[in-house]
Amino acid sequence: MRSILVTGGIGSGKSAVCNLLRERGIPVYDCDARTKGLYESVPTLVPQLEEALGTPLRRADGTLDKVCLASLIFSDSEARETLEGIVYPLALEDYQSWLSQQEAPFVIIESALMLSKPLFDGIYDAAVLVDAPVEVRLERVLHRSNTSREDILHRMEAQSFPLEKVDVVLPNEGTKEELKAAVEHLFFDENSYLCKILED
């Protein structure tokens, strides 16, 4: 079964593209949500991270302190690499398990970070980068959250999308109708560049 990575920075519309594909009956693996779920579904994960990082990560009730974890990995690149080395192999196993249960012409992996992580090279057949001008992305994020402009720009700068790994760039600066038409063409028109790549 073919797998297509749909990626893009904050405010690009990556999730909007994936929602349109879901509406067409295409299974979507939400990498961010599934990875977060591992902290609850894998009982040994948080204790293993605490040992590796040398710091408590649980609240008094035993649940993961997500604010503490986020603060640690965003401020310490070495801690982030340690966490990724533990969590990402589990995420890869989770994806492969999910994939084995799907029945569809192709599946979508929704992820903002997978393109820049070598561990995941080879698990998708093509990569689509959803993109829009910085100001458009900023306005979208400011409209939907209380995050400051400076924080959004900082997050944008921190995200990495190696273009040499991208097969198709999907522009998303217009209307919802224009995006829907672009998605329909790119993913379902047999003459589209993406479909031709997947046929090879």
Side-chain angles (χ1 to χ4, degrees), residues 110-123:
E110 178 183 354
S111 174
L113 55 82
M114 193 174 283
L115 197 69
S116 62
K117 304 299 177 183
L119 175 67
F120 300 104
D121 287 353
I123 74 164

Side-chain angles (χ1 to χ4, degrees), residues 157-178:
E157 290 168 2
Q159 293 180 317
S160 172
F161 303 96
L163 291 178
E164 68 274 10
K165 293 185 178 181
V166 173
D167 295 288
V168 181
V169 176
L170 177 58
N172 177 30
E173 55 188 284
T175 65
K176 291 179 180 179
E177 290 73 22
E178 287 171 333

Side-chain angles (χ1 to χ4, degrees), residues 39 44-75 79-80 82-84 86-87:
Y39 292 102
T44 58
L45 179 54
V46 176
Q48 186 180 357
L49 288 172
E50 288 179 324
E51 182 176 351
L53 297 171
T55 186
L57 295 171
R58 284 173 282 187
R59 300 189 188 91
D61 64 1
T63 58
L64 175 68
D65 187 333
K66 296 176 183 177
V67 175
C68 174
L69 180 62
S71 174
L72 177 65
I73 63 173
F74 281 120
S75 62
R80 183 167 61 251
T82 298
L83 177 138
E84 291 176 355
I86 294 170
V87 175

Side-chain angles (χ1 to χ4, degrees), residues 109-180:
I109 309 168
E110 178 183 354
S111 174
L113 55 82
M114 193 174 283
L115 197 69
S116 62
K117 304 299 177 183
L119 175 67
F120 300 104
D121 287 353
I123 74 164
Y124 48 87
D125 298 289
V128 175
L129 174 66
V130 185
D131 198 19
V134 170
E135 283 302 320
V136 173
R137 294 167 57 197
L138 268 170
E139 286 304 314
R140 287 174 182 160
V141 182
L142 287 168
H143 182 71
R144 73 187 187 209
S145 73
N146 295 321
T147 312
S148 71
R149 185 183 182 91
E150 292 72 23
D151 285 345
I152 298 167
L153 285 169
H154 181 68
R155 286 186 62 184
M156 286 181 177
E157 290 168 2
Q159 293 180 317
S160 172
F161 303 96
L163 291 178
E164 68 274 10
K165 293 185 178 181
V166 173
D167 295 288
V168 181
V169 176
L170 177 58
N172 177 30
E173 55 188 284
T175 65
K176 291 179 180 179
E177 290 73 22
E178 287 171 333
L179 179 62
K180 185 174 183 179

